[in-house]
Amino acid sequence: MNTTYTSEGHTGTHPQVALSVVRRPMYTVAALQGDLDMLTAPALHDRLLELLHPGQRILVLDLSHLWFCDAAGISVLISAWHAALALGVSMRLAAPRSYVAKTLDDAALEHGLATYPTLARALKQPVPPALAPAAV
C-alpha cells in the first residue's frame, strides 16, 4: 500500500487496495487492506470479478484491514455482490473496522449485502437455499 497520512489528509503516488486470496473447496476468502475509494475502486472491481466463477459457493471479503471506504468503494462491493448473485455465489462481508462498518450500515446493508462481525461467523453462516445447488 503506497498511501501515507498527513495532517492535511492522505496522499500517495499510487494508492491501492491490497488483496490477499485464500481458496478452499467450500469457500474463498479475499482480505482487503488499504483505502477503498474513487482512486482504488476500479482496479479492485476487476480483481473481485476475477474471483467469481460458476460452482463457487461462498466468497467472503475480509474487511478487517480496510481502513477507509467511500461511496465509490460501496458501489464496487454492491456491484461484485450482484455479479456473485448472478453466478449463485453467496458473497459476504466480514469484520469491518468501525468507520467502514458505519459506511456499510448506511449504504450496503439497505441493498441486502450481508455483513458479519467476524470472519469465522461469515464462514459459519449456511448458504441460502436460493443459492444452494439443487440436489440431484
PDB file of all heavy atoms in Angstrom, residues 58-64 81 90-97 101 104-105 109 112-128 131:
ATOM      1  N   ILE A  58     -19.153 -19.778  -1.731  1.00  0.00           N
ATOM      2  CA  ILE A  58     -19.096 -18.623  -0.836  1.00  0.00           C
ATOM      3  C   ILE A  58     -17.844 -17.805  -1.150  1.00  0.00           C
ATOM      4  O   ILE A  58     -16.759 -18.350  -1.311  1.00  0.00           O
ATOM      5  CB  ILE A  58     -19.049 -19.074   0.636  1.00  0.00           C
ATOM      6  CG1 ILE A  58     -20.302 -19.874   1.006  1.00  0.00           C
ATOM      7  CG2 ILE A  58     -18.881 -17.880   1.570  1.00  0.00           C
ATOM      8  CD1 ILE A  58     -20.215 -20.557   2.359  1.00  0.00           C
ATOM      9  N   LEU A  59     -18.030 -16.480  -1.207  1.00  0.00           N
ATOM     10  CA  LEU A  59     -16.917 -15.540  -1.287  1.00  0.00           C
ATOM     11  C   LEU A  59     -17.059 -14.599  -0.107  1.00  0.00           C
ATOM     12  O   LEU A  59     -18.078 -13.921   0.037  1.00  0.00           O
ATOM     13  CB  LEU A  59     -16.937 -14.735  -2.588  1.00  0.00           C
ATOM     14  CG  LEU A  59     -15.939 -13.573  -2.667  1.00  0.00           C
ATOM     15  CD1 LEU A  59     -14.493 -14.085  -2.579  1.00  0.00           C
ATOM     16  CD2 LEU A  59     -16.156 -12.765  -3.932  1.00  0.00           C
ATOM     17  N   VAL A  60     -16.057 -14.594   0.758  1.00  0.00           N
ATOM     18  CA  VAL A  60     -16.063 -13.703   1.916  1.00  0.00           C
ATOM     19  C   VAL A  60     -14.987 -12.646   1.713  1.00  0.00           C
ATOM     20  O   VAL A  60     -13.832 -12.978   1.429  1.00  0.00           O
ATOM     21  CB  VAL A  60     -15.789 -14.465   3.233  1.00  0.00           C
ATOM     22  CG1 VAL A  60     -15.771 -13.503   4.413  1.00  0.00           C
ATOM     23  CG2 VAL A  60     -16.830 -15.550   3.449  1.00  0.00           C
ATOM     24  N   LEU A  61     -15.382 -11.392   1.841  1.00  0.00           N
ATOM     25  CA  LEU A  61     -14.425 -10.288   1.798  1.00  0.00           C
ATOM     26  C   LEU A  61     -14.102  -9.900   3.232  1.00  0.00           C
ATOM     27  O   LEU A  61     -14.971  -9.422   3.968  1.00  0.00           O
ATOM     28  CB  LEU A  61     -15.005  -9.093   1.040  1.00  0.00           C
ATOM     29  CG  LEU A  61     -15.425  -9.359  -0.400  1.00  0.00           C
ATOM     30  CD1 LEU A  61     -15.905  -8.066  -1.048  1.00  0.00           C
ATOM     31  CD2 LEU A  61     -14.302  -9.980  -1.199  1.00  0.00           C
ATOM     32  N   ASP A  62     -12.880 -10.165   3.640  1.00  0.00           N
ATOM     33  CA  ASP A  62     -12.409  -9.826   4.985  1.00  0.00           C
ATOM     34  C   ASP A  62     -11.997  -8.352   4.975  1.00  0.00           C
ATOM     35  O   ASP A  62     -11.022  -7.978   4.333  1.00  0.00           O
ATOM     36  CB  ASP A  62     -11.235 -10.723   5.356  1.00  0.00           C
ATOM     37  CG  ASP A  62     -10.643 -10.421   6.720  1.00  0.00           C
ATOM     38  OD1 ASP A  62     -11.072  -9.441   7.375  1.00  0.00           O
ATOM     39  OD2 ASP A  62      -9.732 -11.160   7.133  1.00  0.00           O
ATOM     40  N   LEU A  63     -12.749  -7.527   5.682  1.00  0.00           N
ATOM     41  CA  LEU A  63     -12.520  -6.086   5.691  1.00  0.00           C
ATOM     42  C   LEU A  63     -11.778  -5.608   6.935  1.00  0.00           C
ATOM     43  O   LEU A  63     -11.698  -4.412   7.183  1.00  0.00           O
ATOM     44  CB  LEU A  63     -13.869  -5.352   5.579  1.00  0.00           C
ATOM     45  CG  LEU A  63     -14.769  -5.764   4.420  1.00  0.00           C
ATOM     46  CD1 LEU A  63     -16.060  -4.964   4.447  1.00  0.00           C
ATOM     47  CD2 LEU A  63     -14.058  -5.618   3.098  1.00  0.00           C
ATOM     48  N   SER A  64     -11.199  -6.523   7.689  1.00  0.00           N
ATOM     49  CA  SER A  64     -10.578  -6.156   8.967  1.00  0.00           C
ATOM     50  C   SER A  64      -9.371  -5.225   8.808  1.00  0.00           C
ATOM     51  O   SER A  64      -8.994  -4.558   9.765  1.00  0.00           O
ATOM     52  CB  SER A  64     -10.183  -7.403   9.759  1.00  0.00           C
ATOM     53  OG  SER A  64      -9.250  -8.183   9.043  1.00  0.00           O
ATOM     54  N   TRP A  81     -21.250  -7.972  -5.523  1.00  0.00           N
ATOM     55  CA  TRP A  81     -22.292  -8.799  -4.912  1.00  0.00           C
ATOM     56  C   TRP A  81     -23.336  -9.183  -5.953  1.00  0.00           C
ATOM     57  O   TRP A  81     -23.765 -10.341  -6.013  1.00  0.00           O
ATOM     58  CB  TRP A  81     -22.910  -8.037  -3.744  1.00  0.00           C
ATOM     59  CG  TRP A  81     -24.048  -8.729  -3.090  1.00  0.00           C
ATOM     60  CD1 TRP A  81     -24.048  -9.961  -2.481  1.00  0.00           C
ATOM     61  CD2 TRP A  81     -25.377  -8.235  -2.962  1.00  0.00           C
ATOM     62  NE1 TRP A  81     -25.290 -10.247  -1.986  1.00  0.00           N
ATOM     63  CE2 TRP A  81     -26.125  -9.204  -2.269  1.00  0.00           C
ATOM     64  CE3 TRP A  81     -25.999  -7.060  -3.362  1.00  0.00           C
ATOM     65  CZ2 TRP A  81     -27.470  -9.033  -1.969  1.00  0.00           C
ATOM     66  CZ3 TRP A  81     -27.332  -6.889  -3.054  1.00  0.00           C
ATOM     67  CH2 TRP A  81     -28.056  -7.869  -2.378  1.00  0.00           C
ATOM     68  N   SER A  90     -22.710 -16.960  -2.793  1.00  0.00           N
ATOM     69  CA  SER A  90     -23.066 -16.183  -1.610  1.00  0.00           C
ATOM     70  C   SER A  90     -21.867 -15.323  -1.225  1.00  0.00           C
ATOM     71  O   SER A  90     -20.842 -15.840  -0.789  1.00  0.00           O
ATOM     72  CB  SER A  90     -23.430 -17.119  -0.458  1.00  0.00           C
ATOM     73  OG  SER A  90     -23.708 -16.383   0.712  1.00  0.00           O
ATOM     74  N   MET A  91     -21.975 -14.003  -1.424  1.00  0.00           N
ATOM     75  CA  MET A  91     -20.890 -13.083  -1.057  1.00  0.00           C
ATOM     76  C   MET A  91     -21.215 -12.443   0.279  1.00  0.00           C
ATOM     77  O   MET A  91     -22.339 -12.001   0.506  1.00  0.00           O
ATOM     78  CB  MET A  91     -20.705 -11.999  -2.124  1.00  0.00           C
ATOM     79  CG  MET A  91     -19.492 -11.120  -1.860  1.00  0.00           C
ATOM     80  SD  MET A  91     -19.211  -9.947  -3.189  1.00  0.00           S
ATOM     81  CE  MET A  91     -19.355  -8.425  -2.271  1.00  0.00           C
ATOM     82  N   ARG A  92     -20.209 -12.392   1.141  1.00  0.00           N
ATOM     83  CA  ARG A  92     -20.379 -11.853   2.490  1.00  0.00           C
ATOM     84  C   ARG A  92     -19.236 -10.910   2.820  1.00  0.00           C
ATOM     85  O   ARG A  92     -18.124 -11.085   2.340  1.00  0.00           O
ATOM     86  CB  ARG A  92     -20.369 -12.999   3.499  1.00  0.00           C
ATOM     87  CG  ARG A  92     -21.472 -14.001   3.244  1.00  0.00           C
ATOM     88  CD  ARG A  92     -21.075 -15.371   3.594  1.00  0.00           C
ATOM     89  NE  ARG A  92     -22.142 -16.292   3.198  1.00  0.00           N
ATOM     90  CZ  ARG A  92     -22.360 -17.432   3.786  1.00  0.00           C
ATOM     91  NH1 ARG A  92     -21.583 -17.823   4.772  1.00  0.00           N
ATOM     92  NH2 ARG A  92     -23.319 -18.210   3.370  1.00  0.00           N
ATOM     93  N   LEU A  93     -19.530  -9.948   3.669  1.00  0.00           N
ATOM     94  CA  LEU A  93     -18.515  -9.025   4.169  1.00  0.00           C
ATOM     95  C   LEU A  93     -18.244  -9.380   5.618  1.00  0.00           C
ATOM     96  O   LEU A  93     -19.177  -9.630   6.383  1.00  0.00           O
ATOM     97  CB  LEU A  93     -19.008  -7.579   4.066  1.00  0.00           C
ATOM     98  CG  LEU A  93     -19.473  -7.129   2.684  1.00  0.00           C
ATOM     99  CD1 LEU A  93     -19.985  -5.694   2.744  1.00  0.00           C
ATOM    100  CD2 LEU A  93     -18.371  -7.273   1.664  1.00  0.00           C
ATOM    101  N   ALA A  94     -16.977  -9.412   6.006  1.00  0.00           N
ATOM    102  CA  ALA A  94     -16.628  -9.822   7.363  1.00  0.00           C
ATOM    103  C   ALA A  94     -15.711  -8.817   8.035  1.00  0.00           C
ATOM    104  O   ALA A  94     -14.822  -8.240   7.409  1.00  0.00           O
ATOM    105  CB  ALA A  94     -15.941 -11.188   7.334  1.00  0.00           C
ATOM    106  N   ALA A  95     -15.937  -8.632   9.313  1.00  0.00           N
ATOM    107  CA  ALA A  95     -15.056  -7.910  10.229  1.00  0.00           C
ATOM    108  C   ALA A  95     -14.689  -6.493   9.800  1.00  0.00           C
ATOM    109  O   ALA A  95     -13.520  -6.104   9.874  1.00  0.00           O
ATOM    110  CB  ALA A  95     -13.788  -8.726  10.485  1.00  0.00           C
ATOM    111  N   PRO A  96     -15.666  -5.683   9.383  1.00  0.00           N
ATOM    112  CA  PRO A  96     -15.296  -4.308   9.020  1.00  0.00           C
ATOM    113  C   PRO A  96     -14.881  -3.508  10.246  1.00  0.00           C
ATOM    114  O   PRO A  96     -15.417  -3.696  11.335  1.00  0.00           O
ATOM    115  CB  PRO A  96     -16.574  -3.744   8.405  1.00  0.00           C
ATOM    116  CG  PRO A  96     -17.666  -4.540   9.023  1.00  0.00           C
ATOM    117  CD  PRO A  96     -17.090  -5.913   9.257  1.00  0.00           C
ATOM    118  N   ARG A  97     -13.901  -2.638  10.072  1.00  0.00           N
ATOM    119  CA  ARG A  97     -13.483  -1.718  11.131  1.00  0.00           C
ATOM    120  C   ARG A  97     -14.640  -0.759  11.400  1.00  0.00           C
ATOM    121  O   ARG A  97     -15.530  -0.606  10.587  1.00  0.00           O
ATOM    122  CB  ARG A  97     -12.228  -0.982  10.699  1.00  0.00           C
ATOM    123  CG  ARG A  97     -11.085  -1.958  10.370  1.00  0.00           C
ATOM    124  CD  ARG A  97      -9.837  -1.252   9.961  1.00  0.00           C
ATOM    125  NE  ARG A  97      -9.237  -0.511  11.049  1.00  0.00           N
ATOM    126  CZ  ARG A  97      -8.563  -1.049  12.062  1.00  0.00           C
ATOM    127  NH1 ARG A  97      -8.403  -2.340  12.119  1.00  0.00           N
ATOM    128  NH2 ARG A  97      -8.044  -0.302  13.005  1.00  0.00           N
ATOM    129  N   ALA A 101     -17.634  -0.037   8.956  1.00  0.00           N
ATOM    130  CA  ALA A 101     -18.925  -0.608   9.347  1.00  0.00           C
ATOM    131  C   ALA A 101     -20.019   0.449   9.312  1.00  0.00           C
ATOM    132  O   ALA A 101     -21.137   0.183   8.862  1.00  0.00           O
ATOM    133  CB  ALA A 101     -18.831  -1.228  10.739  1.00  0.00           C
ATOM    134  N   LEU A 104     -20.935   1.030   5.755  1.00  0.00           N
ATOM    135  CA  LEU A 104     -21.714  -0.107   5.260  1.00  0.00           C
ATOM    136  C   LEU A 104     -23.130  -0.085   5.813  1.00  0.00           C
ATOM    137  O   LEU A 104     -24.087  -0.362   5.087  1.00  0.00           O
ATOM    138  CB  LEU A 104     -21.028  -1.416   5.633  1.00  0.00           C
ATOM    139  CG  LEU A 104     -19.723  -1.701   4.916  1.00  0.00           C
ATOM    140  CD1 LEU A 104     -19.056  -2.918   5.528  1.00  0.00           C
ATOM    141  CD2 LEU A 104     -19.945  -1.889   3.433  1.00  0.00           C
ATOM    142  N   ASP A 105     -23.271   0.239   7.090  1.00  0.00           N
ATOM    143  CA  ASP A 105     -24.603   0.323   7.687  1.00  0.00           C
ATOM    144  C   ASP A 105     -25.464   1.337   6.951  1.00  0.00           C
ATOM    145  O   ASP A 105     -26.647   1.134   6.757  1.00  0.00           O
ATOM    146  CB  ASP A 105     -24.518   0.715   9.167  1.00  0.00           C
ATOM    147  CG  ASP A 105     -24.059  -0.437  10.046  1.00  0.00           C
ATOM    148  OD1 ASP A 105     -24.087  -1.589   9.582  1.00  0.00           O
ATOM    149  OD2 ASP A 105     -23.663  -0.160  11.190  1.00  0.00           O
ATOM    150  N   LEU A 109     -25.995  -2.265   3.434  1.00  0.00           N
ATOM    151  CA  LEU A 109     -26.965  -3.133   4.099  1.00  0.00           C
ATOM    152  C   LEU A 109     -28.381  -2.915   3.599  1.00  0.00           C
ATOM    153  O   LEU A 109     -29.180  -3.839   3.582  1.00  0.00           O
ATOM    154  CB  LEU A 109     -26.877  -2.945   5.619  1.00  0.00           C
ATOM    155  CG  LEU A 109     -25.556  -3.380   6.236  1.00  0.00           C
ATOM    156  CD1 LEU A 109     -25.572  -3.176   7.744  1.00  0.00           C
ATOM    157  CD2 LEU A 109     -25.245  -4.815   5.901  1.00  0.00           C
ATOM    158  N   GLY A 112     -29.139  -5.342   1.021  1.00  0.00           N
ATOM    159  CA  GLY A 112     -29.204  -6.737   1.421  1.00  0.00           C
ATOM    160  C   GLY A 112     -27.875  -7.454   1.454  1.00  0.00           C
ATOM    161  O   GLY A 112     -27.836  -8.668   1.623  1.00  0.00           O
ATOM    162  N   LEU A 113     -26.780  -6.739   1.301  1.00  0.00           N
ATOM    163  CA  LEU A 113     -25.449  -7.340   1.354  1.00  0.00           C
ATOM    164  C   LEU A 113     -25.124  -7.674   2.809  1.00  0.00           C
ATOM    165  O   LEU A 113     -25.105  -6.794   3.661  1.00  0.00           O
ATOM    166  CB  LEU A 113     -24.424  -6.377   0.764  1.00  0.00           C
ATOM    167  CG  LEU A 113     -22.969  -6.815   0.688  1.00  0.00           C
ATOM    168  CD1 LEU A 113     -22.830  -8.153  -0.010  1.00  0.00           C
ATOM    169  CD2 LEU A 113     -22.156  -5.766  -0.039  1.00  0.00           C
ATOM    170  N   ALA A 114     -24.899  -8.946   3.098  1.00  0.00           N
ATOM    171  CA  ALA A 114     -24.712  -9.409   4.472  1.00  0.00           C
ATOM    172  C   ALA A 114     -23.329  -9.046   5.010  1.00  0.00           C
ATOM    173  O   ALA A 114     -22.320  -9.233   4.344  1.00  0.00           O
ATOM    174  CB  ALA A 114     -24.896 -10.919   4.552  1.00  0.00           C
ATOM    175  N   THR A 115     -23.308  -8.521   6.241  1.00  0.00           N
ATOM    176  CA  THR A 115     -22.072  -8.175   6.932  1.00  0.00           C
ATOM    177  C   THR A 115     -22.044  -8.918   8.263  1.00  0.00           C
ATOM    178  O   THR A 115     -23.042  -8.965   8.977  1.00  0.00           O
ATOM    179  CB  THR A 115     -21.997  -6.653   7.179  1.00  0.00           C
ATOM    180  OG1 THR A 115     -22.089  -5.984   5.932  1.00  0.00           O
ATOM    181  CG2 THR A 115     -20.694  -6.271   7.845  1.00  0.00           C
ATOM    182  N   TYR A 116     -20.881  -9.488   8.594  1.00  0.00           N
ATOM    183  CA  TYR A 116     -20.715 -10.265   9.813  1.00  0.00           C
ATOM    184  C   TYR A 116     -19.597  -9.652  10.650  1.00  0.00           C
ATOM    185  O   TYR A 116     -18.628  -9.142  10.097  1.00  0.00           O
ATOM    186  CB  TYR A 116     -20.384 -11.722   9.475  1.00  0.00           C
ATOM    187  CG  TYR A 116     -21.499 -12.374   8.702  1.00  0.00           C
ATOM    188  CD1 TYR A 116     -21.546 -12.274   7.316  1.00  0.00           C
ATOM    189  CD2 TYR A 116     -22.523 -13.044   9.349  1.00  0.00           C
ATOM    190  CE1 TYR A 116     -22.585 -12.837   6.596  1.00  0.00           C
ATOM    191  CE2 TYR A 116     -23.568 -13.614   8.637  1.00  0.00           C
ATOM    192  CZ  TYR A 116     -23.589 -13.505   7.263  1.00  0.00           C
ATOM    193  OH  TYR A 116     -24.633 -14.057   6.551  1.00  0.00           O
ATOM    194  N   PRO A 117     -19.704  -9.732  11.978  1.00  0.00           N
ATOM    195  CA  PRO A 117     -18.707  -9.096  12.838  1.00  0.00           C
ATOM    196  C   PRO A 117     -17.331  -9.759  12.790  1.00  0.00           C
ATOM    197  O   PRO A 117     -16.323  -9.118  13.085  1.00  0.00           O
ATOM    198  CB  PRO A 117     -19.311  -9.183  14.236  1.00  0.00           C
ATOM    199  CG  PRO A 117     -20.300 -10.294  14.167  1.00  0.00           C
ATOM    200  CD  PRO A 117     -20.791 -10.329  12.748  1.00  0.00           C
ATOM    201  N   THR A 118     -17.282 -11.036  12.422  1.00  0.00           N
ATOM    202  CA  THR A 118     -16.006 -11.745  12.364  1.00  0.00           C
ATOM    203  C   THR A 118     -15.959 -12.618  11.109  1.00  0.00           C
ATOM    204  O   THR A 118     -17.003 -12.988  10.554  1.00  0.00           O
ATOM    205  CB  THR A 118     -15.785 -12.662  13.579  1.00  0.00           C
ATOM    206  OG1 THR A 118     -16.767 -13.709  13.541  1.00  0.00           O
ATOM    207  CG2 THR A 118     -15.866 -11.894  14.891  1.00  0.00           C
ATOM    208  N   LEU A 119     -14.755 -12.973  10.714  1.00  0.00           N
ATOM    209  CA  LEU A 119     -14.580 -13.878   9.586  1.00  0.00           C
ATOM    210  C   LEU A 119     -15.178 -15.246   9.894  1.00  0.00           C
ATOM    211  O   LEU A 119     -15.848 -15.853   9.059  1.00  0.00           O
ATOM    212  CB  LEU A 119     -13.090 -13.989   9.244  1.00  0.00           C
ATOM    213  CG  LEU A 119     -12.712 -14.905   8.087  1.00  0.00           C
ATOM    214  CD1 LEU A 119     -13.383 -14.489   6.801  1.00  0.00           C
ATOM    215  CD2 LEU A 119     -11.199 -14.931   7.923  1.00  0.00           C
ATOM    216  N   ALA A 120     -14.963 -15.724  11.110  1.00  0.00           N
ATOM    217  CA  ALA A 120     -15.493 -17.035  11.497  1.00  0.00           C
ATOM    218  C   ALA A 120     -17.011 -17.096  11.369  1.00  0.00           C
ATOM    219  O   ALA A 120     -17.565 -18.082  10.875  1.00  0.00           O
ATOM    220  CB  ALA A 120     -15.066 -17.364  12.928  1.00  0.00           C
ATOM    221  N   ARG A 121     -17.697 -16.048  11.785  1.00  0.00           N
ATOM    222  CA  ARG A 121     -19.169 -16.032  11.680  1.00  0.00           C
ATOM    223  C   ARG A 121     -19.620 -15.978  10.228  1.00  0.00           C
ATOM    224  O   ARG A 121     -20.605 -16.599   9.857  1.00  0.00           O
ATOM    225  CB  ARG A 121     -19.746 -14.882  12.476  1.00  0.00           C
ATOM    226  CG  ARG A 121     -19.569 -15.190  13.961  1.00  0.00           C
ATOM    227  CD  ARG A 121     -20.405 -14.491  14.938  1.00  0.00           C
ATOM    228  NE  ARG A 121     -21.802 -14.356  14.677  1.00  0.00           N
ATOM    229  CZ  ARG A 121     -22.541 -13.412  15.251  1.00  0.00           C
ATOM    230  NH1 ARG A 121     -21.987 -12.547  16.068  1.00  0.00           N
ATOM    231  NH2 ARG A 121     -23.820 -13.341  15.016  1.00  0.00           N
ATOM    232  N   ALA A 122     -18.891 -15.263   9.398  1.00  0.00           N
ATOM    233  CA  ALA A 122     -19.242 -15.201   7.977  1.00  0.00           C
ATOM    234  C   ALA A 122     -19.100 -16.570   7.319  1.00  0.00           C
ATOM    235  O   ALA A 122     -19.898 -16.947   6.465  1.00  0.00           O
ATOM    236  CB  ALA A 122     -18.371 -14.176   7.256  1.00  0.00           C
ATOM    237  N   LEU A 123     -18.079 -17.324   7.729  1.00  0.00           N
ATOM    238  CA  LEU A 123     -17.857 -18.646   7.160  1.00  0.00           C
ATOM    239  C   LEU A 123     -18.839 -19.684   7.695  1.00  0.00           C
ATOM    240  O   LEU A 123     -19.155 -20.654   7.005  1.00  0.00           O
ATOM    241  CB  LEU A 123     -16.420 -19.103   7.426  1.00  0.00           C
ATOM    242  CG  LEU A 123     -15.352 -18.333   6.664  1.00  0.00           C
ATOM    243  CD1 LEU A 123     -13.970 -18.698   7.172  1.00  0.00           C
ATOM    244  CD2 LEU A 123     -15.476 -18.557   5.169  1.00  0.00           C
ATOM    245  N   LYS A 124     -19.335 -19.500   8.915  1.00  0.00           N
ATOM    246  CA  LYS A 124     -20.268 -20.447   9.534  1.00  0.00           C
ATOM    247  C   LYS A 124     -21.672 -20.368   8.948  1.00  0.00           C
ATOM    248  O   LYS A 124     -22.401 -21.355   8.948  1.00  0.00           O
ATOM    249  CB  LYS A 124     -20.383 -20.170  11.036  1.00  0.00           C
ATOM    250  CG  LYS A 124     -19.462 -20.942  11.880  1.00  0.00           C
ATOM    251  CD  LYS A 124     -19.836 -20.684  13.324  1.00  0.00           C
ATOM    252  CE  LYS A 124     -18.974 -21.475  14.250  1.00  0.00           C
ATOM    253  NZ  LYS A 124     -19.285 -21.186  15.642  1.00  0.00           N
ATOM    254  N   GLN A 125     -22.055 -19.198   8.504  1.00  0.00           N
ATOM    255  CA  GLN A 125     -23.417 -18.989   8.014  1.00  0.00           C
ATOM    256  C   GLN A 125     -23.682 -19.898   6.811  1.00  0.00           C
ATOM    257  O   GLN A 125     -22.906 -19.912   5.866  1.00  0.00           O
ATOM    258  CB  GLN A 125     -23.602 -17.519   7.619  1.00  0.00           C
ATOM    259  CG  GLN A 125     -24.999 -17.143   7.253  1.00  0.00           C
ATOM    260  CD  GLN A 125     -25.949 -17.211   8.436  1.00  0.00           C
ATOM    261  OE1 GLN A 125     -25.559 -17.058   9.583  1.00  0.00           O
ATOM    262  NE2 GLN A 125     -27.194 -17.465   8.149  1.00  0.00           N
ATOM    263  N   PRO A 126     -24.782 -20.676   6.842  1.00  0.00           N
ATOM    264  CA  PRO A 126     -25.053 -21.557   5.706  1.00  0.00           C
ATOM    265  C   PRO A 126     -25.408 -20.766   4.439  1.00  0.00           C
ATOM    266  O   PRO A 126     -25.837 -19.615   4.509  1.00  0.00           O
ATOM    267  CB  PRO A 126     -26.244 -22.397   6.171  1.00  0.00           C
ATOM    268  CG  PRO A 126     -26.819 -21.686   7.340  1.00  0.00           C
ATOM    269  CD  PRO A 126     -25.748 -20.795   7.902  1.00  0.00           C
ATOM    270  N   VAL A 127     -25.210 -21.403   3.306  1.00  0.00           N
ATOM    271  CA  VAL A 127     -25.576 -20.793   2.032  1.00  0.00           C
ATOM    272  C   VAL A 127     -27.102 -20.747   1.950  1.00  0.00           C
ATOM    273  O   VAL A 127     -27.772 -21.752   2.229  1.00  0.00           O
ATOM    274  CB  VAL A 127     -25.007 -21.614   0.851  1.00  0.00           C
ATOM    275  CG1 VAL A 127     -25.474 -21.060  -0.479  1.00  0.00           C
ATOM    276  CG2 VAL A 127     -23.495 -21.660   0.928  1.00  0.00           C
ATOM    277  N   PRO A 128     -27.674 -19.591   1.598  1.00  0.00           N
ATOM    278  CA  PRO A 128     -29.137 -19.501   1.478  1.00  0.00           C
ATOM    279  C   PRO A 128     -29.658 -20.528   0.470  1.00  0.00           C
ATOM    280  O   PRO A 128     -29.000 -20.784  -0.542  1.00  0.00           O
ATOM    281  CB  PRO A 128     -29.374 -18.074   0.984  1.00  0.00           C
ATOM    282  CG  PRO A 128     -28.126 -17.325   1.320  1.00  0.00           C
ATOM    283  CD  PRO A 128     -27.017 -18.332   1.292  1.00  0.00           C
ATOM    284  N   LEU A 131     -29.468 -19.952  -3.248  1.00  0.00           N
ATOM    285  CA  LEU A 131     -28.151 -20.007  -3.888  1.00  0.00           C
ATOM    286  C   LEU A 131     -27.549 -21.421  -3.859  1.00  0.00           C
ATOM    287  O   LEU A 131     -26.605 -21.675  -4.585  1.00  0.00           O
ATOM    288  CB  LEU A 131     -27.187 -19.030  -3.201  1.00  0.00           C
ATOM    289  CG  LEU A 131     -27.507 -17.558  -3.350  1.00  0.00           C
ATOM    290  CD1 LEU A 131     -26.490 -16.725  -2.574  1.00  0.00           C
ATOM    291  CD2 LEU A 131     -27.534 -17.148  -4.796  1.00  0.00           C
TER     292      LEU A 131
END
